[in-house]
Amino acid sequence: MTSRKSLTLIGNYALLIVLGLLFALPFLYTLYTSVLHLEDVNKWAGLSKWSFANYQLFFTNDAYNVPKWLVNTIVITALVILGNFIINPMVGFALAKLDFPGKNLIYWIVVASMMVPYHMILIPVYVNVAHLGWLNSVLGLTVPFLYQCLYIFMLRQFFMSIPNEFIEAARIDGLTKMGAFWRIVFPLAKSSLITMSILAFSGTWNSYLIPSTFTSDPAKYVLVVGLNSVKDQFFENTPLIMSGVVLTTLPILIFFFIFQKQYIEGISSSGVKG
């Protein structure tokens, strides 16, 4: 019996490894191609022919301005995550644990908003951003996205699972409702918050539609928009394009691998309760 279980376990792990390699193959191909010279594309080239010249070109050629685009992306992504980290939990907690007029109406508005594709409201948002003078600015790329209805809903579902007795005990000890939230409830939502942060990081870092619509000054580009402009100029230079893909993808993979355990826990605890 033990030997059968061991064989089953080995088979399961082998299957997972094979599937993992299949899913990773496109990125591995991209990574491999990014260190090749143009004449070696679609060929097997040994280590002696590998080169980081494409990456060096991005960071040393002033025409591409990749360091500036990278800084813009980091700043915008950090601000969006920070805003979502503060606003979404507060709204989710209010909808889950507080009683106030219009609570159910607000909740259903949040749920309904999740069903509206962002493309449908892009023009109104653009008009408002333009009227505020926020085009080609950090404000235009961050303020409208400091909260997300999906994350509010996700956190509300998690907060619904927290016993009211925790909050009542905190109130008896002298904490206000906000004090109970920040000192008792907020730390309990660690896994859900990390899940939200990973999703917000991925969505903001890889966002192309919004930055390309709200910015026209190359100095204000984020990395994805800037590298796409390079792609249009060098569409035949596959290694250069692939190195740009790696630059945009690698930070997301690193961020996910650091917090993958909490991400899985957050998905498990936030989606079905309430």
Side-chain angles (χ1 to χ4, degrees):
M1 182 65 69
T2 304
S3 131
R4 182 179 298 178
K5 287 184 177 179
S6 299
L7 288 174
T8 302
L9 186 63
I10 292 172
N12 290 338
Y13 276 115
L15 179 62
L16 289 174
I17 291 172
V18 171
L19 290 175
L21 289 174
L22 286 176
F23 282 109
L25 191 59
F27 180 73
L28 294 176
Y29 173 78
T30 302
L31 188 62
Y32 167 72
T33 306
S34 70
V35 296
L36 298 180
H37 297 288
L38 185 59
E39 60 270 15
D40 294 323
V41 174
N42 295 326
K43 300 177 183 177
W44 176 251
L47 288 173
S48 60
K49 293 188 176 182
W50 292 12
S51 170
F52 291 97
N54 295 313
Y55 296 95
Q56 184 179 2
L57 181 64
F58 271 133
F59 285 96
T60 56
N61 192 321
D62 294 336
Y64 305 143
N65 211 5
V66 168
K68 177 63 175 175
W69 299 338
L70 185 60
V71 170
N72 292 344
T73 307
I74 292 172
V75 170
I76 290 167
T77 303
L79 290 175
V80 169
I81 292 177
L82 180 62
N84 281 265
F85 209 78
I86 296 172
I87 296 174
N88 294 335
M90 294 176 66
V91 178
F93 175 74
L95 293 176
K97 295 299 183 182
L98 302 184
D99 292 321
F100 54 90
K103 171 183 172 180
N104 290 331
L105 176 61
I106 294 173
Y107 169 70
W108 286 111
I109 290 175
V110 169
V111 173
S113 299
M114 294 166 52
M115 304 177 188
V116 179
Y118 196 82
H119 302 73
M120 294 182 63
I121 61 173
L122 178 60
I123 293 177
V125 173
Y126 177 86
V127 171
N128 288 330
V129 169
H131 278 257
L132 290 168
W134 288 354
L135 295 178
N136 288 310
S137 72
V138 173
L139 291 174
L141 295 176
T142 55
V143 173
F145 313 103
L146 294 180
Y147 73 94
Q148 298 288 336
C149 291
L150 172 62
Y151 306 146
I152 291 173
F153 174 79
M154 182 181 74
L155 290 166
R156 183 258 184 190
Q157 298 301 93
F158 173 80
F159 291 141
M160 289 288 290
S161 69
I162 296 177
N164 292 330
E165 289 76 11
F166 284 12
I167 301 172
E168 293 169 2
R171 297 298 306 279
I172 292 173
D173 287 340
L175 290 177
T176 63
K177 290 180 179 179
M178 288 301 297
F181 168 70
W182 288 113
R183 297 185 62 178
I184 305 299
V185 178
F186 188 81
L188 293 175
K190 177 183 175 183
S191 295
S192 296
L193 292 170
I194 290 177
T195 299
M196 179 197 69
S197 299
I198 291 174
L199 295 174
F201 180 91
S202 175
T204 306
W205 187 276
N206 264 345
S207 177
Y208 177 78
L209 177 64
I210 303 300
S212 63
T213 304
F214 291 3
T215 56
S216 56
D217 181 359
K220 305 294 183 180
Y221 283 169
V222 296
L223 190 60
V224 173
V225 177
L227 291 177
N228 266 274
S229 67
V230 174
K231 180 194 71 175
D232 293 338
Q233 298 175 32
F234 299 97
F235 65 94
E236 292 183 350
N237 192 335
T238 304
L240 187 66
I241 294 173
M242 292 301 186
S243 62
V245 173
V246 172
L247 287 175
T248 57
T249 306
L250 196 58
I252 298 175
L253 293 176
I254 294 172
F255 196 84
F256 175 77
F257 279 121
I258 291 174
F259 297 109
Q260 61 177 321
K261 181 180 178 181
Q262 292 84 354
Y263 173 79
I264 295 171
E265 291 174 356
I267 288 291
S268 302
S269 64
S270 301
V272 295
K273 295 182 177 67

